[in-house]
């Protein structure tokens, strides 16, 4: 998944402002204690990061 598609999914699921805040501030243990932005900068795939977000926030399967 491209970064732009990932960011759009985040915005669709959480709203643009909350998605940006979540990406910057929420630390995910499943991402090695990183935020979304840190995980992406560290080279984790957008798919892996999206899966971590979906699991943490219980995003329904049809929107994953």
């Amino acid at each position: 998944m491209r970064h732009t598609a990932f960011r759009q999914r985040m915005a669709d699921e959480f709203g643009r402002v909350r998605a940006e805040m979540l990406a910057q501030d929420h630390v995910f243990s499943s991402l090695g204690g990183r935020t979304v932005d840190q995980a992406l900068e560290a080279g984790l795939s957008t798919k892996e990061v999206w899966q971590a977000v979906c699991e943490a926030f219980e995003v329904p399967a049809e929107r994953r």
Side-chain angles (χ1 to χ4, degrees):
M1 163 184 349
R2 299 178 138 225
H3 282 265
T4 53
F6 171 80
R7 295 292 180 181
Q8 187 59 54
R9 283 188 184 193
M10 290 282 291
D12 290 346
E13 187 62 36
F14 302 106
R16 187 154 312 278
V17 173
R18 184 170 181 223
E20 289 175 14
M21 290 173 50
L22 183 105
Q24 293 173 11
D25 300 330
H26 188 88
V27 175
F28 293 84
S29 60
S30 60
L31 296 175
R34 298 179 180 111
T35 65
V36 165
D37 289 344
Q38 291 169 335
L40 293 172
E41 288 174 18
L44 276 70
S45 72
T46 54
K47 182 178 179 179
E48 183 178 359
V49 174
W50 178 243
Q51 288 174 345
V53 171
C54 289
E55 289 174 21
F57 288 93
E58 299 179 352
V59 173
E62 64 271 7
R63 294 198 308 261
R64 289 185 180 204

